[in-house]
Amino acid sequence: MGTPQHRATDAASPAVAAAVAAARAPGTTDEQWATLLARFDREIGRLQRLFGEIYGAGERTDAELALLAGQLATSWQERPADLQELDAAREADPSWFESNEMVGGVLYVDRYAGDLDGVRAQIPYFRELGLTYLHLMPLFEAPAQNSDGGYAVSSYRAVNPALGDMEGLTALAADLRSQGIALVLDFIFNHTSDEHAWARRAQAGEPEYEDFYWIFPDRTMPDAYERTVREIFPDDHPGAFVPIPTPDGHGERWVWATFHSFQWDLNYTNPAVFRAMAGEMLFLANRGVDILRMDAVAFIWKQLGTSCESLPQAHALIQAFNAVCRIAAPAVLFKSEAIVHPDEVIGYISPQECQLSYNPLQMALIWSSLATRDARLLQQALERRHTLPPGTAWVNYVRSHDDIGWTFADEDAAELGIDGYEHRRFLNRFYVDRFPGSFARGVPFQDNPRTGDCRIAGTTASLAGLEAGDPGAVDRIVLAHSIVLSTGGIPLLYLGDEVGQLNDLGYVDEPGHAEDSRWVNRPHYPAEAYRRRLDPSTDSGRLHARLRRLLDVRRTTPELAGNRLVGFDARNPHVLGYQRPGEDPDGRATVVLCLANVADEPQGVDALTLSGMPLEALDLVTGERVGLREGLTLPAHGVRWLRTVLESGPADAPVQKPDS
Ligand code: OTU
């Protein structure tokens, strides 16, 4: 391979080159070393630039970068051989996650399966569903009660002993991978718990660790920051800061805690924090994690006089973490968790930042369309806000473990004559059953009478009408899932929803959960519903069979890969329409036309509207041929995935323009 050793020195400072060279381990082959140096060559210039943007150019920054570079070189060399192979394989196939075979599931280890062995025991069921991606909710060491469902991490290197241990997690990651399932874990990098060793040492007054957090001796700076930041969990504490004792225990000081008082925000203006967290990230990567869910990305950079959300440095920091992975664990992808205005959500998505992102707009508007029986806001979002940069993908979901916030753009709604404020008020009332005739049985979350802010919580089934006994419930659940399965991206199932699990009102009696209504939508494994799943005379059975069918069809429908979507104006406000152009398994240019009726009565798409389509289509779900010349009728909450073969023209010729 010549003398590739010199190339890393070209792109970086001599200090970086020296640190990398010094990190070479005796067992590393020339070929491995050349591979690593090539990655440094590709990424180190970018990392250096980002460090300059974040920390300012200077000797301290250079020294930190050199330390980091050495750490990266060591980490990749310590990476198990199978993961090093995976690195190369995914570099060679960077769009692996855009396949129509990708399907995700998410679960709490303790609630769904007891422990990590219980998760392993469920692998046959995951295979039955066709999962290729499994998100285990935070499973790290955390405070006994105050853990925010694991989002308050006390050690990133230790598994909560009730669930298993690190060896067990590593083994499970390998088992999942051997079954074609990628492991997704959270990277909770905005904050640690107040029981993390760093927080304890800060509490004890060690200056090195006080500098890991935002600690102030009095209210001067907290007051100044709080003039411009949002309250995220007002039920827990007002503002962004909470009081903590001084090291001597006699006085009071203030620490930044965006979420709960026991979740302390890390101070990324300190480069030592970045380096420490890069170390934790790579530790997890080397255990076999495939995708890191980047928690609370919007909050990681603070600046006086701003909202302290989605600031440019937040992006620079995530890009720097991305560069770290490209060098030391290139198989790993990031998924952005930004549940904010759609203009901000998109800002985190690129191959250089987060390759994947939750799609909170689609999620919120699915529920909006079911409440209003009007598909237009969702239609507009699909036509306007669905496109992504190449090399990235949405993670589409019906609901998550969190609350549902109505994160659509008011400007978009205004174009349809909808007042954003009033619409959110309506949706909140509708979904907590304070609207006459509502089929939904959700509960309010963080109802803030002072600001008028409110979000809602509930399982898919309870929100869709199953708890209320509404006859449309199963159809609505299928409809919601058909959208996340067919619009493009990775569909993510909240496991248990596929058998219609209902709200868990028992959470109020669980230690530490009563104050957080999101626990209503985090039920324990719904054993009864799972038992009924093969019985077609039950709601669970009907739901499971229909979702299984959609999952199977998705897997064998190549048009559903990737993200290309062309709107289809069904000329009926109750009917959502979109086309997925592509090629069928025989290589013919095709379009899959997806239609969904969000109304409670049958709705038609007339013959004129369909006149631009070929004469007939194949209904992919029922296997029937469907004539398109007479128009179509969709039953209440009905869904169709119709493949038409284009008579001529290239695969990318759209059948109908969004505005025609
Ligand atoms: C995330 O959510 C997690 O999903 C939550 O479960 C955690 O409690 C929280 O971070 C703290 O770790 O406010 O209501 O995008 O919507 O980051 C959920 C902004 C949350 C927030 C999101 C946060």
Side-chain angles (χ1 to χ4, degrees):
M1 309 251 1
T3 50
Q5 283 86 343
H6 296 299
R7 282 191 283 139
T9 60
D10 299 341
S13 69
V16 166
V20 172
R24 180 165 179 174
T28 301
T29 66
D30 284 350
E31 197 189 331
Q32 282 175 314
W33 191 244
T35 302
L36 179 62
L37 291 190
R39 290 185 182 130
F40 265 107
D41 281 332
R42 275 201 301 274
E43 298 292 339
I44 196 72
R46 176 162 83 107
L47 197 50
Q48 198 161 26
R49 175 179 59 74
L50 291 165
F51 260 49
E53 278 174 30
I54 300 163
Y55 303 114
E59 263 171 48
R60 167 107 203 259
T61 304
D62 290 347
E64 285 290 340
L65 189 64
L67 282 171
L68 177 65
Q71 200 177 309
L72 302 189
T74 301
S75 182
W76 189 74
Q77 293 173 93
E78 288 171 353
R79 203 160 154 75
D82 56 339
L83 296 179
Q84 290 188 351
E85 275 170 38
L86 192 66
D87 289 337
R90 289 197 177 148
E91 278 180 335
D93 179 20
S95 59
W96 65 274
F97 55 85
E98 295 178 40
S99 156
N100 54 299
E101 293 180 21
M102 286 296 289
V103 177
V106 53
L107 59 84
Y108 282 90
V109 174
D110 55 342
R111 301 176 87 78
Y112 191 87
D115 57 16
L116 292 177
D117 289 334
V119 173
R120 176 179 289 101
Q122 291 286 348
I123 291 178
Y125 176 64
F126 303 152
R127 300 261 301 169
E128 187 187 313
L129 285 180
L131 300 192
T132 59
Y133 159 129
L134 183 67
H135 176 196
L136 301 181
M137 295 296 292
L139 42 69
F140 304 104
E141 207 172 273
Q145 280 191 15
N146 287 336
S147 79
D148 187 20
Y151 282 99
V153 176
S154 301
S155 167
Y156 299 91
R157 297 184 184 231
V159 170
N160 174 347
L163 307 178
D165 57 21
M166 225 2 119
E167 289 71 60
L169 180 64
T170 309
L172 178 61
D175 286 351
L176 288 168
R177 192 172 328 110
S178 74
Q179 303 285 314
I181 302 174
L183 175 62
V184 187
L185 288 187
D186 283 84
F187 186 50
I188 300 150
F189 67 123
N190 175 70
H191 45 265
T192 72
S193 88
D194 59 355
E195 294 183 9
H196 192 286
W198 303 336
R200 289 191 193 278
R201 297 176 76 167
Q203 255 156 321
E206 284 186 48
E208 188 186 342
Y209 290 97
E210 288 177 324
D211 287 349
F212 268 48
Y213 299 94
W214 296 85
I215 299 177
F216 295 103
D218 56 40
R219 285 288 313 173
T220 314
M221 291 310 291
D223 284 340
Y225 280 110
E226 283 180 359
R227 273 195 276 281
T228 50
V229 304
R230 271 198 304 155
E231 288 181 352
I232 304 301
F233 287 171
D235 289 357
D236 187 72
H237 62 87
F241 288 82
V242 295
I244 56 166
T246 51
D248 65 10
H250 297 312
E252 188 179 68
R253 45 190 192 154
W254 295 85
V255 65
W256 198 309
T258 297
F259 297 96
H260 294 93
S261 55
F262 51 84
Q263 288 166 303
W264 293 8
D265 288 47
L266 288 162
N267 182 353
Y268 279 95
T269 63
N270 175 3
V273 168
F274 181 86
R275 207 151 44 71
M277 287 305 288
E280 305 310 274
M281 180 174 84
L282 293 177
F283 174 85
L284 293 174
N286 283 0
R287 307 274 98 53
V289 178
D290 294 278
I291 298 173
L292 290 168
R293 172 192 181 277
M294 306 297 276
D295 185 55
V297 287
F299 299 92
I300 58 171
W301 190 264
K302 287 75 159 124
Q303 193 175 308
L304 199 60
T306 73
S307 67
C308 298
E309 284 184 51
S310 295
L311 297 176
Q313 290 89 341
H315 294 284
L317 279 165
I318 301 164
Q319 288 168 25
F321 279 122
N322 176 302
V324 161
C325 270
R326 300 281 74 67
I327 294 169
V332 173
L333 300 180
F334 291 170
K335 174 172 73 156
S336 162
E337 191 260 338
I339 314 301
V340 289
H341 189 286
D343 289 343
E344 279 179 39
V345 173
I346 193 89
Y348 292 93
I349 311 172
S350 83
Q352 287 76 40
E353 197 166 332
C354 297
Q355 301 89 347
L356 305 173
S357 168
Y358 281 106
N359 192 349
L361 180 64
Q362 178 178 98
M363 183 274 295
L365 294 182
I366 288 172
W367 292 108
S368 169
S369 70
L370 292 175
T372 58
R373 283 78 163 176
D374 185 325
R376 287 174 304 163
L377 257 185
L378 179 55
Q379 179 81 30
Q380 181 203 50
L382 280 174
E383 290 175 7
R384 180 176 296 181
R385 295 187 182 270
H386 190 71
T387 305
L388 286 181
T392 66
W394 288 118
V395 173
N396 295 315
Y397 62 115
V398 173
R399 62 94 165 194
S400 72
H401 69 289
D402 276 334
D403 50 292
I404 297 178
W406 310 109
T407 59
F408 59 85
D410 285 21
E411 318 81 87
D412 292 0
E415 284 178 33
L416 297 172
I418 298 166
D419 177 90
Y421 178 81
E422 287 303 329
H423 190 50
R424 282 188 191 90
R425 251 175 54 95
F426 159 73
L427 291 168
N428 282 327
R429 288 171 57 216
F430 187 92
Y431 278 107
V432 302
D433 189 25
R434 287 183 199 150
F435 189 85
S438 171
F439 52 73
R441 294 291 181 269
V443 297
F445 177 69
Q446 303 292 332
D447 199 348
N448 190 340
R450 202 174 57 71
T451 59
D453 279 352
C454 183
R455 286 112 82 183
I456 64 107
T459 64
T460 299
S462 287
L463 295 178
L466 205 63
E467 191 177 322
D470 186 278
V474 169
D475 294 338
R476 279 191 203 97
I477 300 170
V478 172
L479 184 155
H481 282 92
S482 88
I483 294 169
V484 308
L485 286 166
S486 64
T487 45
I490 304 175
L492 177 56
L493 310 177
Y494 192 101
L495 290 168
D497 280 5
E498 77 284 12
V499 288
Q501 67 189 340
L502 298 177
N503 280 349
D504 175 12
L505 294 168
Y507 80 93
V508 290
D509 299 322
E510 290 171 353
H513 293 175
E515 304 299 310
D516 187 338
S517 62
R518 291 175 297 177
W519 288 102
V520 86
N521 59 37
R522 303 166 181 174
H524 291 269
Y525 183 83
E528 240 334 285
Y530 272 116
R531 264 193 291 279
R532 288 193 299 263
R533 80 177 200 275
L534 300 175
D535 177 354
S537 71
T538 64
D539 285 332
S540 294
R542 279 188 286 270
L543 177 59
H544 193 259
R546 289 175 64 191
L547 291 179
R548 273 291 307 275
R549 177 71 193 145
L550 292 183
L551 286 161
D552 292 347
V553 171
R554 172 185 158 86
R555 203 167 28 249
T556 52
T557 305
E559 295 94 328
L560 299 184
N563 191 54
R564 237 154 51 82
L565 177 148
V566 180
F568 180 87
D569 180 358
R571 294 191 176 87
N572 179 334
H574 306 289
V575 178
L576 181 73
Y578 47 93
Q579 307 167 81
R580 304 296 316 279
E583 277 178 17
D584 69 5
D586 300 325
R588 297 175 299 179
T590 55
V591 162
V592 173
L593 170 65
C594 301
L595 298 169
N597 170 17
V598 298
D600 296 341
E601 311 81 33
Q603 293 291 330
V605 182
D606 64 28
L608 184 63
T609 303
L610 291 167
S611 59
M613 304 294 282
L615 286 177
E616 63 162 29
L618 174 66
D619 185 319
L620 294 170
V621 181
T622 64
E624 288 162 0
R625 303 232 135 253
V626 184
L628 297 180
R629 277 301 154 268
E630 311 296 318
L632 285 171
T633 301
L634 292 144
H637 316 114
V639 172
R640 303 200 90 157
W641 293 357
L642 302 172
R643 174 185 282 145
T644 62
V645 180
L646 300 188
E647 272 112 62
S648 61
D652 58 358
V655 168
Q656 184 197 329
K657 299 257 161 48
D659 56 350
S660 63

